[in-house]
Amino acid sequence: MRALITGITGQDGSYLAEFLLEKGYDVYGMVRRSSTENFERINHIKDQLNFVQGDLLDYNSLSSIIKTVNPDEVYNLAAQSFVPTSWTQPSLTAEFNAVGVTRLLEAIRDHNVKIKFYQASSSEMFGKVREVPQTEKTPFYPRSPYGIAKVYAHWITVNYRESYNIFACSGILFNHESPRRGLEFVTKKITDAVARIKLDLATELRLGNLEAKRDWGYAGDYVRAMWLMLQQDEPDNYVIATGENHSVKEFVDIAFGHVDLDPGKYVKVDERFLRPAEVDHLLGDSSYALEKLGWKPEVSFEEMVKMMVDYDLEKYRKIKGID
């Protein structure tokens, strides 16, 4: 089997690449041409991967890749993935996260409609939630340019499935984290700061809304769900979530507690980090994924937080030369 992963250098792309290699896949990763390439997350498997240059903003590059690689499966994980950035770059976010998906689906339609397609949808599409918990049937009410673009991408995926009979699945993934999470995300910002404070490399952590709640899972579990979706007899949409709600404050408490620190001494609320429109209560119901895919999360919220803290501690210990 041959798979193409867009966004292979990101958190999810790296875990998915590992997973597919273990399954015996021939894995191709689409990367954007740039003067500096960041392969940090996939350096350990880089020699087992095939790289092709392309860009979601450029149809010709996508068309060429689909024609040349002719994959059995395409996993579209590339995106402008940071919600706060979507407020400052809304047009670019739309180009990548919405129109870019259309370009990729068009390339598949033009060359081989037998290719199976996975679209990375997001719980941010639910935004100002219409019901709790959220399922595949919950109406969308996005609260950011990121969420709005993802809604378009979700429905264009469904449209190509129904219009052109493409095996196109949409995974509505709730927040999922790991040691490979980017530093711009609040979870990584917390665990990175905890490690630095513990090792006397920092003295405080500034955060926005501590009461915001999310359904947080482990990225390694969630990429397994992506693969399972493309192994079914029929394409569909699936909510992938833990079904548990945790606040930013809970995340903070576990992270600081793991290294025997009192968060009250170090955490400061900073209004600069508050969103123009907050998403307060995301909670997913993945019963359908359990029923159809046999999928359920394996790593708990607390295990994931501690895993991230331990990773960052080890990283900074090496920097400081501490055994």
Side-chain angles (χ1 to χ4, degrees):
M1 293 287 287
R2 184 178 299 169
L4 171 68
I5 303 173
T6 73
I8 195 169
T9 60
Q11 170 189 256
D12 291 7
S14 67
Y15 281 108
L16 180 60
E18 282 179 344
F19 181 85
L20 294 178
L21 287 172
E22 289 172 5
K23 292 285 183 185
Y25 275 65
D26 194 7
V27 180
Y28 286 75
M30 188 181 89
V31 293
R32 298 174 69 197
R33 191 186 186 290
S34 64
S35 56
T36 56
E37 295 175 325
N38 183 10
F39 291 108
E40 179 183 354
R41 296 183 180 93
I42 54 173
N43 266 334
H44 61 296
I45 55 172
K46 191 176 175 184
D47 60 348
Q48 301 175 61
L49 303 170
N50 307 284
F51 295 100
V52 287
Q53 289 187 349
D55 197 314
L56 288 179
L57 302 184
D58 176 38
Y59 172 79
N60 287 336
S61 68
L62 299 176
S63 177
S64 176
I65 288 170
I66 294 298
K67 182 178 180 180
T68 304
V69 176
N70 194 28
D72 299 288
E73 299 171 357
V74 172
Y75 296 85
N76 182 40
L77 310 185
Q80 191 297 99
S81 60
F82 191 41
V83 175
T85 298
S86 75
W87 292 103
T88 58
Q89 299 182 22
S91 297
L92 185 63
T93 299
E95 281 291 338
F96 273 118
N97 296 7
V99 185
V101 180
T102 312
R103 294 186 186 103
L104 190 50
L105 284 165
E106 268 293 280
I108 290 172
R109 183 172 79 91
D110 285 345
H111 293 294
N112 183 0
V113 293
K114 299 299 183 184
I115 294 172
K116 293 184 175 183
F117 178 78
Y118 170 83
Q119 167 58 19
S121 285
S122 168
S123 59
E124 289 283 335
M125 300 189 304
F126 295 120
K128 189 174 182 180
V129 297
R130 305 288 85 189
E131 63 183 5
V132 179
Q134 293 91 52
T135 72
E136 292 80 6
K137 293 182 171 61
T138 302
F140 299 135
Y141 194 142
R143 296 268 279 172
S144 67
Y146 171 88
I148 293 164
K150 282 290 187 178
V151 169
Y152 174 96
H154 177 86
W155 284 118
I156 201 70
T157 298
V158 172
N159 185 257
Y160 271 66
R161 178 168 77 213
E162 296 176 351
S163 302
Y164 304 117
N165 203 30
I166 292 173
F167 194 110
C169 291
S170 186
I172 308 172
L173 272 57
F174 280 63
N175 292 63
H176 46 287
E177 316 297 322
S178 77
R180 299 178 192 171
R181 189 50 130 167
L183 193 53
E184 68 271 25
F185 291 88
V186 68
T187 50
K188 186 66 168 181
K189 182 179 179 180
I190 293 167
T191 61
D192 182 85
V194 166
R196 288 187 292 114
I197 290 169
K198 182 65 176 178
L199 298 174
D200 297 321
L201 296 170
T203 58
E204 67 174 17
L205 167 61
R206 292 185 172 270
L207 295 170
N209 183 9
L210 296 179
E211 301 309 315
K213 291 186 175 181
R214 294 290 185 271
D215 183 326
W216 271 304
Y218 172 57
D221 285 341
Y222 284 37
V223 300
R224 178 165 42 89
M226 299 175 188
W227 176 78
L228 284 168
M229 290 178 206
L230 298 195
Q231 312 315 309
Q232 305 309 302
D233 293 333
E234 299 292 334
D236 211 338
N237 307 323
Y238 300 88
V239 164
I240 303 298
T242 68
E244 296 179 6
N245 237 186
H246 299 280
S247 68
V248 174
K249 185 179 184 303
E250 285 179 77
F251 198 110
V252 166
D253 289 343
I254 292 173
F256 276 90
H258 187 49
V259 294
D260 299 317
L261 291 176
D262 177 6
K265 295 179 179 178
Y266 306 100
V267 178
K268 315 290 184 195
V269 173
D270 190 328
E271 291 187 359
R272 291 179 301 164
F273 300 117
L274 297 176
R275 291 186 183 185
E278 183 56 86
V279 175
D280 290 313
H281 202 109
L282 292 176
L283 180 66
D285 179 355
S286 55
S287 301
Y288 187 62
L290 175 61
E291 175 193 344
K292 293 292 185 179
L293 309 178
W295 179 89
K296 60 182 178 180
E298 296 178 356
V299 176
S300 72
F301 174 70
E302 189 168 340
E303 287 171 337
M304 180 194 69
V305 177
K306 291 178 177 179
M307 180 194 307
M308 293 175 69
V309 171
D310 288 340
Y311 176 88
D312 289 330
L313 271 174
E314 183 181 355
K315 177 181 69 177
Y316 284 112
R317 282 194 177 113
K318 286 179 180 177
I319 291 172
K320 285 192 71 174
I322 302 171
D323 291 330

